Amino acid sequence: QVQLVESGGGLVQPGGSLRLSCVASGFPFDTSAMGWYRRPPGKEREMVAALATIERITNYADFAKGRFSISRDNAKNTVYLQMNDLRPEDTAVYFCNALSRGRPRYDDWGQGTQVTVSS
């Protein structure tokens, strides 16, 4: 059974930082590309960042470039999202998923972790 458990969200002031974690199980994590997504209030889910396995190739949404960084620890079955210089528009629920051909692999998403950027 696939499980994706996100954590690390919270309330942060504009300009602040957070590090999100996603612990995955139930599938071969070390050979899976992984991605972070987010769902802002009242909007559809959107891709934030993706990390391939071979050569650790990364891909970021335009809003994430230069501020966010995706990484992984295969020994811990964990993917991270370091978010710096957070803005109010980054407020969203953040999710992770494995990727297949650049798209979310699993329909059963985790609960996500809430990030709120506000002064």
Side-chain angles (χ1 to χ4, degrees):
Q1 180 182 359
V2 172
Q3 284 195 317
L4 300 162
V5 181
E6 301 90 351
S7 63
L11 174 63
V12 63
Q13 292 187 343
S17 297
L18 283 173
R19 188 194 194 202
L20 307 184
S21 300
C22 169
V23 180
S25 61
F27 64 94
F29 180 85
D30 58 344
T31 58
S32 296
M34 296 295 296
W36 280 97
Y37 292 78
R38 71 183 188 184
R39 186 175 64 225
K43 296 184 179 180
E44 296 294 317
R45 186 180 284 135
E46 59 186 357
M47 193 275 283
V48 177
L51 174 60
T53 54
I54 298 175
E55 298 181 351
R56 301 294 179 101
I57 295 172
T58 58
N59 185 35
Y60 294 93
D62 286 344
F63 61 77
K65 291 177 180 177
R67 299 190 300 130
F68 295 0
S69 178
I70 186 172
S71 62
R72 64 193 298 160
D73 185 338
N74 287 344
K76 297 181 179 179
N77 275 22
T78 301
V79 60
Y80 303 98
L81 185 67
Q82 177 68 42
M83 304 189 296
N84 300 324
D85 188 25
L86 284 162
R87 305 165 181 169
E89 54 264 38
D90 295 318
T91 295
V93 181
Y94 285 73
F95 304 86
C96 71
N97 206 325
L99 301 176
S100 291
R101 297 182 179 182
R103 302 180 69 85
R105 180 186 300 172
Y106 300 112
D107 293 331
D108 290 334
W109 295 79
Q111 291 189 332
T113 185
Q114 175 71 49
V115 172
T116 302
V117 185
S118 175
S119 56

Coordinates of all heavy atoms in Angstrom, one line a residue, residues 32-118:
S32 N 12.3 5.9 -8.2 CA 11.2 6.7 -8.6 C 11.5 8.2 -8.6 O 12.1 8.7 -7.6 CB 10.0 6.5 -7.6 OG 9.5 5.1 -7.7
A33 N 11.2 8.8 -9.7 CA 11.2 10.3 -9.7 C 10.1 10.8 -8.7 O 9.1 10.1 -8.6 CB 10.9 10.8 -11.1
M34 N 10.4 11.9 -8.0 CA 9.5 12.4 -7.0 C 9.2 13.9 -7.3 O 10.0 14.6 -7.9 CB 10.1 12.3 -5.6 CG 10.3 10.8 -5.2 SD 8.8 9.9 -5.0 CE 8.0 10.8 -3.7
G35 N 8.0 14.3 -6.9 CA 7.6 15.6 -7.1 C 6.9 16.2 -5.9 O 6.3 15.5 -5.2
W36 N 6.9 17.5 -5.8 CA 6.1 18.3 -4.9 C 5.1 19.1 -5.6 O 5.4 19.6 -6.7 CB 7.0 19.2 -4.1 CG 7.7 18.6 -2.9 CD1 9.0 18.2 -2.9 CD2 7.2 18.3 -1.6 NE1 9.4 17.6 -1.7 CE2 8.3 17.7 -0.9 CE3 6.0 18.5 -1.0 CZ2 8.1 17.3 0.4 CZ3 5.9 18.2 0.3 CH2 6.9 17.6 1.0
Y37 N 3.9 19.1 -5.1 CA 2.8 19.8 -5.6 C 2.2 20.7 -4.5 O 2.4 20.5 -3.4 CB 1.7 18.9 -6.2 CG 2.2 18.1 -7.4 CD1 3.0 17.0 -7.2 CD2 1.8 18.4 -8.6 CE1 3.4 16.3 -8.3 CE2 2.2 17.7 -9.7 CZ 3.0 16.6 -9.6 OH 3.4 15.9 -10.7
R38 N 1.3 21.6 -4.9 CA 0.6 22.4 -3.9 C -0.7 22.8 -4.5 O -1.0 22.9 -5.7 CB 1.4 23.7 -3.6 CG 1.5 24.8 -4.7 CD 2.3 25.9 -4.3 NE 2.2 27.1 -5.2 CZ 2.9 28.2 -5.1 NH1 3.8 28.3 -4.0 NH2 2.8 29.1 -5.9
R39 N -1.6 23.0 -3.5 CA -3.0 23.5 -3.9 C -3.3 24.7 -3.1 O -3.6 24.7 -1.9 CB -4.0 22.4 -3.6 CG -5.4 22.8 -4.0 CD -6.4 21.6 -3.8 NE -6.5 21.3 -2.4 CZ -6.5 20.1 -1.9 NH1 -6.3 19.0 -2.7 NH2 -6.7 19.9 -0.6
P40 N -3.2 25.9 -3.7 CA -3.5 27.2 -3.1 C -5.0 27.2 -2.8 O -5.8 26.5 -3.4 CB -3.1 28.2 -4.1 CG -2.2 27.5 -5.0 CD -2.7 26.1 -5.1
P41 N -5.4 28.0 -1.8 CA -6.9 28.1 -1.5 C -7.7 28.5 -2.7 O -7.4 29.4 -3.4 CB -6.9 29.3 -0.5 CG -5.6 29.4 0.1 CD -4.6 28.9 -1.0
G42 N -8.7 27.7 -3.0 CA -9.6 27.9 -4.1 C -9.1 27.6 -5.5 O -9.7 28.0 -6.5
K43 N -7.9 27.0 -5.5 CA -7.3 26.8 -6.8 C -7.0 25.3 -7.0 O -7.1 24.5 -6.1 CB -6.0 27.6 -7.0 CG -6.2 29.1 -7.0 CD -4.9 29.9 -7.2 CE -5.1 31.4 -7.2 NZ -3.9 32.1 -7.4
E44 N -6.6 24.9 -8.3 CA -6.3 23.6 -8.6 C -4.8 23.3 -8.1 O -4.0 24.1 -7.9 CB -6.3 23.4 -10.1 CG -7.7 23.5 -10.7 CD -8.7 22.5 -10.2 OE1 -8.2 21.3 -10.1 OE2 -9.8 22.8 -9.8
R45 N -4.6 22.0 -7.9 CA -3.2 21.5 -7.6 C -2.3 21.8 -8.7 O -2.6 21.6 -9.9 CB -3.3 20.0 -7.3 CG -2.0 19.5 -6.7 CD -2.1 18.0 -6.5 NE -2.9 17.7 -5.2 CZ -3.8 16.8 -5.1 NH1 -4.2 16.1 -6.2 NH2 -4.4 16.6 -4.0
E46 N -1.1 22.3 -8.3 CA -0.1 22.6 -9.3 C 1.3 22.0 -8.9 O 1.6 21.8 -7.8 CB 0.1 24.1 -9.5 CG 0.4 24.9 -8.2 CD 0.4 26.4 -8.4 OE1 0.1 26.9 -9.5 OE2 0.6 27.1 -7.4
M47 N 2.1 21.8 -9.9 CA 3.4 21.3 -9.7 C 4.3 22.3 -9.1 O 4.3 23.5 -9.6 CB 4.0 20.7 -11.0 CG 5.3 19.8 -10.8 SD 6.8 20.8 -10.7 CE 7.1 21.1 -12.4
V48 N 5.2 22.0 -8.2 CA 6.1 22.9 -7.6 C 7.5 22.5 -8.1 O 8.3 23.4 -8.6 CB 6.1 22.9 -6.1 CG1 7.1 23.8 -5.5 CG2 4.7 23.3 -5.6
A49 N 7.9 21.3 -7.9 CA 9.3 20.8 -8.2 C 9.3 19.3 -8.4 O 8.5 18.6 -7.9 CB 10.2 21.2 -7.1
A50 N 10.2 18.9 -9.2 CA 10.4 17.5 -9.5 C 11.9 17.1 -9.5 O 12.7 18.0 -9.8 CB 9.8 17.1 -10.9
L51 N 12.1 15.9 -9.1 CA 13.5 15.4 -9.0 C 13.6 14.0 -9.5 O 12.9 13.1 -9.0 CB 13.9 15.4 -7.5 CG 15.3 14.8 -7.2 CD1 16.4 15.6 -7.9 CD2 15.5 14.9 -5.7
A52 N 14.4 13.8 -10.6 CA 14.6 12.5 -11.2 C 15.6 11.7 -10.4 O 16.2 12.3 -9.5 CB 15.0 12.7 -12.6
T53 N 15.7 10.5 -10.7 CA 16.7 9.7 -10.0 C 18.1 9.7 -10.7 O 19.1 9.9 -10.1 CB 16.2 8.2 -9.9 OG1 15.9 7.8 -11.3 CG2 15.0 8.1 -9.1
I54 N 18.1 9.5 -12.0 CA 19.3 9.5 -12.7 C 19.8 10.9 -12.9 O 19.1 11.8 -13.3 CB 19.1 8.8 -14.1 CG1 18.6 7.4 -13.9 CG2 20.4 8.9 -14.9 CD1 18.3 6.7 -15.2
E55 N 21.0 11.1 -12.4 CA 21.7 12.4 -12.5 C 21.0 13.5 -11.7 O 21.3 14.7 -11.9 CB 21.9 12.8 -14.0 CG 22.7 11.9 -14.8 CD 22.9 12.3 -16.2 OE1 22.2 13.3 -16.6 OE2 23.7 11.7 -17.0
R56 N 20.0 13.1 -10.9 CA 19.4 14.0 -10.0 C 18.9 15.3 -10.8 O 19.0 16.4 -10.3 CB 20.3 14.4 -8.9 CG 20.7 13.2 -8.0 CD 19.6 12.6 -7.3 NE 19.9 11.5 -6.5 CZ 20.1 11.5 -5.2 NH1 19.9 12.7 -4.5 NH2 20.4 10.4 -4.5
I57 N 18.3 15.1 -11.9 CA 17.8 16.2 -12.7 C 16.6 16.8 -12.0 O 15.7 16.0 -11.5 CB 17.4 15.7 -14.1 CG1 18.7 15.2 -14.9 CG2 16.7 16.8 -14.9 CD1 18.4 14.6 -16.2
T58 N 16.5 18.1 -11.9 CA 15.4 18.8 -11.3 C 14.7 19.7 -12.2 O 15.2 20.1 -13.3 CB 16.0 19.7 -10.1 OG1 16.9 20.6 -10.6 CG2 16.6 18.8 -9.0
N59 N 13.4 19.9 -11.9 CA 12.6 20.8 -12.7 C 11.7 21.6 -11.7 O 11.2 21.0 -10.7 CB 11.7 20.0 -13.6 CG 10.9 20.9 -14.5 OD1 11.3 21.9 -15.0 ND2 9.7 20.4 -14.8
Y60 N 11.6 22.9 -11.9 CA 10.9 23.8 -11.0 C 9.9 24.6 -11.8 O 10.1 25.0 -12.9 CB 11.8 24.7 -10.3 CG 12.8 24.0 -9.3 CD1 14.1 23.7 -9.8 CD2 12.4 23.8 -8.0 CE1 15.0 23.0 -8.9 CE2 13.3 23.2 -7.2 CZ 14.6 22.8 -7.6 OH 15.5 22.2 -6.7
A61 N 8.7 24.8 -11.1 CA 7.8 25.8 -11.6 C 8.5 27.2 -11.6 O 9.4 27.4 -10.8 CB 6.5 25.8 -10.8
D62 N 8.0 28.1 -12.5 CA 8.6 29.4 -12.5 C 8.6 30.1 -11.2 O 9.6 30.7 -10.8 CB 7.9 30.2 -13.6 CG 8.3 29.8 -15.0 OD1 9.3 29.1 -15.2 OD2 7.6 30.2 -15.9
F63 N 7.5 30.0 -10.4 CA 7.4 30.7 -9.2 C 8.4 30.1 -8.1 O 8.7 30.8 -7.1 CB 6.0 30.6 -8.6 CG 5.5 29.2 -8.3 CD1 5.9 28.5 -7.2 CD2 4.6 28.6 -9.2 CE1 5.4 27.3 -6.9 CE2 4.1 27.4 -8.9 CZ 4.5 26.7 -7.8
A64 N 8.9 28.9 -8.3 CA 9.8 28.3 -7.4 C 11.3 28.5 -7.7 O 12.1 28.3 -6.8 CB 9.5 26.8 -7.3
K65 N 11.6 28.8 -8.9 CA 13.0 28.9 -9.3 C 13.7 30.0 -8.5 O 13.2 31.1 -8.3 CB 13.1 29.3 -10.8 CG 12.6 28.1 -11.7 CD 12.6 28.5 -13.2 CE 12.2 27.4 -14.0 NZ 12.1 27.7 -15.5
G66 N 14.9 29.6 -8.0 CA 15.7 30.5 -7.2 C 15.3 30.6 -5.7 O 16.0 31.2 -4.9
R67 N 14.1 30.1 -5.4 CA 13.7 30.2 -4.0 C 13.5 28.8 -3.3 O 13.7 28.6 -2.1 CB 12.3 30.9 -3.9 CG 12.4 32.3 -4.4 CD 11.1 33.1 -4.1 NE 9.9 32.4 -4.7 CZ 8.8 32.1 -4.0 NH1 8.7 32.3 -2.7 NH2 7.8 31.5 -4.6
F68 N 13.1 27.8 -4.1 CA 12.8 26.5 -3.6 C 13.9 25.5 -4.1 O 14.4 25.7 -5.2 CB 11.4 26.0 -4.0 CG 10.3 26.8 -3.5 CD1 10.4 27.9 -2.7 CD2 9.0 26.4 -3.8 CE1 9.4 28.6 -2.2 CE2 7.9 27.1 -3.4 CZ 8.1 28.2 -2.5
S69 N 14.1 24.4 -3.3 CA 15.1 23.4 -3.7 C 14.6 22.1 -3.3 O 14.2 21.8 -2.1 CB 16.4 23.7 -3.0 OG 17.4 22.7 -3.4
I70 N 14.5 21.1 -4.2 CA 14.1 19.8 -3.9 C 15.3 18.9 -3.8 O 16.2 19.0 -4.5 CB 13.1 19.3 -5.0 CG1 12.5 17.9 -4.7 CG2 13.8 19.2 -6.4 CD1 11.4 17.5 -5.6
S71 N 15.2 17.9 -2.8 CA 16.3 17.0 -2.6 C 15.7 15.7 -2.1 O 14.5 15.6 -1.7 CB 17.3 17.6 -1.7 OG 16.8 17.8 -0.4
R72 N 16.5 14.7 -2.0 CA 16.0 13.4 -1.5 C 17.1 12.7 -0.7 O 18.3 12.9 -0.9 CB 15.5 12.5 -2.7 CG 16.6 12.1 -3.6 CD 16.0 11.5 -4.9 NE 15.3 10.3 -4.7 CZ 14.3 9.8 -5.5 NH1 14.1 10.5 -6.6 NH2 13.7 8.7 -5.2
D73 N 16.6 11.8 0.2 CA 17.5 10.9 0.9 C 16.9 9.5 0.7 O 15.9 9.1 1.4 CB 17.5 11.3 2.4 CG 18.5 10.4 3.2 OD1 18.9 9.3 2.7 OD2 18.9 10.9 4.3
N74 N 17.5 8.7 -0.2 CA 17.0 7.4 -0.5 C 17.1 6.4 0.7 O 16.3 5.5 0.8 CB 17.7 6.8 -1.7 CG 17.3 7.5 -3.0 OD1 16.3 8.2 -3.1 ND2 18.1 7.3 -4.0
A75 N 18.1 6.6 1.6 CA 18.2 5.8 2.7 C 17.0 6.0 3.7 O 16.7 5.1 4.5 CB 19.5 6.1 3.5
K76 N 16.4 7.1 3.6 CA 15.2 7.4 4.5 C 13.9 7.4 3.8 O 12.9 7.8 4.3 CB 15.4 8.8 5.2 CG 16.7 8.8 6.1 CD 16.8 10.2 6.8 CE 18.0 10.2 7.7 NZ 18.1 11.5 8.4
N77 N 13.9 7.1 2.5 CA 12.7 7.1 1.6 C 12.0 8.5 1.8 O 10.8 8.6 1.9 CB 11.7 6.0 2.0 CG 12.0 4.7 1.3 OD1 13.2 4.5 0.9 ND2 11.1 3.8 1.3
T78 N 12.8 9.5 1.8 CA 12.3 10.9 2.0 C 12.7 11.9 1.0 O 13.8 11.9 0.5 CB 12.8 11.4 3.4 OG1 12.3 10.5 4.4 CG2 12.2 12.8 3.7
V79 N 11.7 12.7 0.6 CA 12.0 13.8 -0.3 C 11.7 15.1 0.4 O 10.8 15.2 1.2 CB 11.2 13.7 -1.6 CG1 9.7 13.7 -1.4 CG2 11.6 14.8 -2.6
Y80 N 12.5 16.1 0.2 CA 12.5 17.4 0.9 C 12.2 18.5 -0.1 O 12.5 18.4 -1.3 CB 13.8 17.7 1.6 CG 14.2 16.6 2.6 CD1 15.2 15.6 2.2 CD2 13.7 16.5 3.8 CE1 15.6 14.6 3.0 CE2 14.1 15.5 4.7 CZ 15.1 14.6 4.3 OH 15.5 13.6 5.2
L81 N 11.6 19.6 0.5 CA 11.4 20.8 -0.3 C 11.9 21.9 0.7 O 11.2 22.2 1.6 CB 10.0 21.0 -0.7 CG 9.8 22.2 -1.6 CD1 10.5 22.0 -2.9 CD2 8.3 22.5 -1.8
Q82 N 13.0 22.5 0.4 CA 13.5 23.7 1.1 C 12.9 24.9 0.4 O 13.1 25.1 -0.8 CB 15.0 23.8 1.1 CG 15.6 25.0 1.7 CD 15.3 25.0 3.2 OE1 15.5 24.0 3.9 NE2 15.0 26.2 3.8
M83 N 12.2 25.7 1.2 CA 11.5 26.9 0.7 C 12.0 28.1 1.4 O 11.9 28.2 2.6 CB 10.0 26.8 0.9 CG 9.4 25.5 0.2 SD 7.6 25.5 0.3 CE 7.3 25.5 2.0
N84 N 12.6 29.0 0.6 CA 13.2 30.3 1.1 C 12.4 31.5 0.5 O 11.7 31.3 -0.5 CB 14.6 30.4 0.8 CG 15.5 29.2 1.4 OD1 15.2 28.7 2.5 ND2 16.4 28.8 0.6
D85 N 12.6 32.6 1.2 CA 11.9 33.8 0.7 C 10.5 33.6 0.4 O 9.9 34.0 -0.6 CB 12.7 34.4 -0.5 CG 12.2 35.7 -1.0 OD1 11.7 36.5 -0.1 OD2 12.3 36.0 -2.2
L86 N 9.8 33.0 1.4 CA 8.4 32.7 1.2 C 7.5 34.0 1.1 O 7.8 35.0 1.7 CB 7.9 31.8 2.3 CG 8.3 30.4 2.2 CD1 8.2 29.7 3.6 CD2 7.5 29.7 1.2
R87 N 6.5 33.9 0.2 CA 5.6 35.0 -0.1 C 4.2 34.6 0.3 O 3.8 33.4 0.3 CB 5.7 35.3 -1.6 CG 7.1 35.6 -2.0 CD 7.2 35.6 -3.5 NE 8.5 35.8 -4.0 CZ 9.0 35.7 -5.3 NH1 8.1 35.2 -6.2 NH2 10.2 35.9 -5.6
P88 N 3.3 35.5 0.5 CA 1.9 35.2 0.8 C 1.3 34.3 -0.2 O 0.4 33.4 0.1 CB 1.2 36.5 0.9 CG 2.3 37.5 1.4 CD 3.5 37.0 0.7
E89 N 1.6 34.5 -1.5 CA 1.1 33.6 -2.5 C 1.6 32.2 -2.5 O 1.1 31.3 -3.3 CB 1.3 34.2 -3.9 CG 2.8 34.5 -4.2 CD 3.2 36.0 -3.9 OE1 2.7 36.6 -2.9 OE2 4.0 36.6 -4.7
D90 N 2.5 31.9 -1.7 CA 3.0 30.5 -1.5 C 2.0 29.7 -0.5 O 2.2 28.5 -0.3 CB 4.4 30.4 -1.0 CG 5.4 31.0 -2.0 OD1 5.3 30.7 -3.2 OD2 6.3 31.7 -1.5
T91 N 1.1 30.4 0.1 CA 0.2 29.8 1.0 C -0.6 28.7 0.3 O -1.2 29.0 -0.8 CB -0.8 30.8 1.6 OG1 -0.1 31.7 2.4 CG2 -1.9 30.1 2.4
A92 N -0.5 27.5 0.8 CA -1.2 26.3 0.1 C -1.0 25.1 0.9 O -0.2 25.1 1.9 CB -0.5 26.1 -1.3
V93 N -1.7 24.0 0.6 CA -1.4 22.7 1.1 C -0.4 22.1 0.1 O -0.6 22.0 -1.1 CB -2.6 21.9 1.2 CG1 -2.3 20.5 1.8 CG2 -3.7 22.6 2.1
Y94 N 0.7 21.6 0.7 CA 1.8 21.0 -0.1 C 1.7 19.5 0.0 O 1.6 18.9 1.1 CB 3.1 21.5 0.3 CG 3.4 22.9 -0.1 CD1 2.7 24.0 0.5 CD2 4.3 23.2 -1.1 CE1 2.9 25.3 0.0 CE2 4.5 24.5 -1.6 CZ 3.8 25.6 -1.0 OH 4.0 26.8 -1.4
F95 N 1.9 18.8 -1.2 CA 1.8 17.4 -1.3 C 3.0 16.8 -2.1 O 3.6 17.5 -2.9 CB 0.6 16.9 -2.1 CG -0.7 17.4 -1.6 CD1 -1.2 18.7 -2.0 CD2 -1.5 16.6 -0.8 CE1 -2.4 19.2 -1.5 CE2 -2.8 17.1 -0.3 CZ -3.2 18.4 -0.7
C96 N 3.3 15.6 -1.9 CA 4.3 14.9 -2.7 C 3.7 13.7 -3.4 O 2.6 13.2 -3.0 CB 5.5 14.5 -1.9 SG 5.2 13.1 -0.8
N97 N 4.4 13.2 -4.4 CA 3.9 12.1 -5.1 C 5.1 11.5 -6.0 O 6.0 12.3 -6.3 CB 2.7 12.4 -6.1 CG 1.9 11.2 -6.3 OD1 2.3 10.0 -6.4 ND2 0.6 11.4 -6.4
A98 N 5.1 10.3 -6.3 CA 6.0 9.7 -7.2 C 5.5 10.2 -8.6 O 4.4 10.5 -8.8 CB 6.0 8.2 -7.1
L99 N 6.5 10.2 -9.5 CA 6.2 10.6 -10.9 C 6.3 9.5 -11.9 O 7.3 8.7 -11.8 CB 7.1 11.8 -11.3 CG 7.0 13.0 -10.4 CD1 8.0 14.1 -10.8 CD2 5.6 13.7 -10.4
S100 N 5.5 9.5 -12.9 CA 5.6 8.6 -14.0 C 5.4 9.5 -15.3 O 4.4 10.1 -15.5 CB 4.6 7.5 -14.0 OG 4.9 6.6 -13.0
R101 N 6.5 9.5 -16.1 CA 6.5 10.4 -17.3 C 6.1 11.8 -16.9 O 5.3 12.4 -17.7 CB 5.5 9.8 -18.3 CG 6.0 8.4 -18.8 CD 5.1 7.8 -19.9 NE 5.5 6.5 -20.3 CZ 4.9 5.8 -21.3 NH1 3.9 6.3 -21.9 NH2 5.4 4.6 -21.6
G102 N 6.6 12.3 -15.8 CA 6.4 13.6 -15.5 C 5.0 14.0 -14.8 O 4.8 15.1 -14.5
R103 N 4.2 13.0 -14.6 CA 2.9 13.2 -14.0 C 2.8 12.4 -12.7 O 3.4 11.4 -12.5 CB 1.8 12.7 -15.0 CG 1.9 13.4 -16.3 CD 0.8 12.9 -17.3 NE -0.6 13.3 -16.8 CZ -1.1 14.5 -17.1 NH1 -0.4 15.4 -17.8 NH2 -2.3 14.8 -16.7
P104 N 1.9 12.9 -11.8 CA 1.7 12.1 -10.6 C 1.3 10.7 -10.8 O 0.5 10.4 -11.6 CB 0.6 12.9 -9.9 CG 0.6 14.2 -10.5 CD 1.0 14.1 -11.9
R105 N 2.0 9.8 -10.1 CA 1.8 8.3 -10.4 C 0.6 7.8 -9.6 O -0.1 7.0 -10.2 CB 3.0 7.5 -10.0 CG 2.9 6.1 -10.2 CD 4.1 5.3 -9.6 NE 5.4 5.8 -10.2 CZ 6.6 5.4 -9.8 NH1 6.7 4.6 -8.7 NH2 7.7 5.8 -10.4
Y106 N 0.4 8.2 -8.4 CA -0.6 7.6 -7.6 C -1.8 8.5 -7.4 O -1.7 9.8 -7.1 CB 0.0 7.2 -6.2 CG 1.1 6.3 -6.4 CD1 2.4 6.6 -6.1 CD2 0.9 5.0 -6.8 CE1 3.5 5.7 -6.2 CE2 1.9 4.1 -7.0 CZ 3.2 4.5 -6.7 OH 4.3 3.6 -6.9
D107 N -3.0 7.9 -7.4 CA -4.2 8.7 -7.2 C -4.5 9.0 -5.7 O -5.2 10.0 -5.4 CB -5.4 7.9 -7.7 CG -5.4 7.8 -9.3 OD1 -4.8 8.7 -9.9 OD2 -5.9 6.8 -9.8
D108 N -3.9 8.1 -4.8 CA -4.1 8.3 -3.4 C -3.1 9.3 -2.9 O -2.0 8.8 -2.5 CB -4.1 7.0 -2.7 CG -5.3 6.1 -3.0 OD1 -6.3 6.7 -3.3 OD2 -5.2 4.9 -2.9
W109 N -3.4 10.5 -2.8 CA -2.5 11.5 -2.3 C -2.5 11.5 -0.7 O -3.4 11.0 -0.1 CB -2.9 12.9 -2.7 CG -2.8 13.1 -4.2 CD1 -3.7 12.7 -5.1 CD2 -1.8 13.8 -4.9 NE1 -3.3 13.1 -6.4 CE2 -2.1 13.8 -6.3 CE3 -0.6 14.5 -4.5 CZ2 -1.3 14.4 -7.2 CZ3 0.2 15.0 -5.5 CH2 -0.2 15.0 -6.8
G110 N -1.4 11.9 -0.1 CA -1.4 12.1 1.3 C -2.2 13.2 1.8 O -2.9 13.9 0.9
Q111 N -2.2 13.5 3.0 CA -3.0 14.6 3.6 C -2.4 16.0 3.3 O -3.1 17.0 3.4 CB -3.2 14.4 5.1 CG -4.1 13.3 5.4 CD -4.5 13.2 6.9 OE1 -3.7 13.7 7.7 NE2 -5.6 12.7 7.2
G112 N -1.1 16.0 3.0 CA -0.5 17.2 2.7 C -0.1 17.9 4.0 O -0.4 17.5 5.1
T113 N 0.7 19.0 3.8 CA 1.0 19.8 4.9 C 0.7 21.3 4.6 O 1.1 21.8 3.5 CB 2.5 19.6 5.3 OG1 2.9 20.3 6.5 CG2 3.5 20.0 4.2
Q114 N 0.1 22.0 5.5 CA -0.3 23.3 5.3 C 0.8 24.3 5.5 O 1.5 24.3 6.5 CB -1.5 23.7 6.2 CG -2.0 25.1 6.2 CD -2.7 25.5 4.9 OE1 -3.6 24.7 4.5 NE2 -2.3 26.6 4.2
V115 N 1.0 25.2 4.5 CA 2.0 26.3 4.6 C 1.2 27.6 4.5 O 0.4 27.8 3.6 CB 3.0 26.2 3.5 CG1 3.9 27.5 3.5 CG2 3.9 25.0 3.7
T116 N 1.3 28.4 5.5 CA 0.7 29.7 5.5 C 1.7 30.8 5.7 O 2.5 30.8 6.7 CB -0.4 29.8 6.7 OG1 -1.3 28.7 6.5 CG2 -1.1 31.1 6.7
V117 N 1.7 31.7 4.8 CA 2.7 32.8 4.8 C 1.9 34.1 5.0 O 1.1 34.5 4.2 CB 3.5 32.9 3.5 CG1 4.6 34.0 3.6 CG2 4.1 31.6 3.1
S118 N 2.1 34.6 6.2 CA 1.4 35.8 6.6 C 2.1 36.6 7.7 O 2.8 36.0 8.5 CB 0.0 35.4 7.1 OG -0.7 36.5 7.6

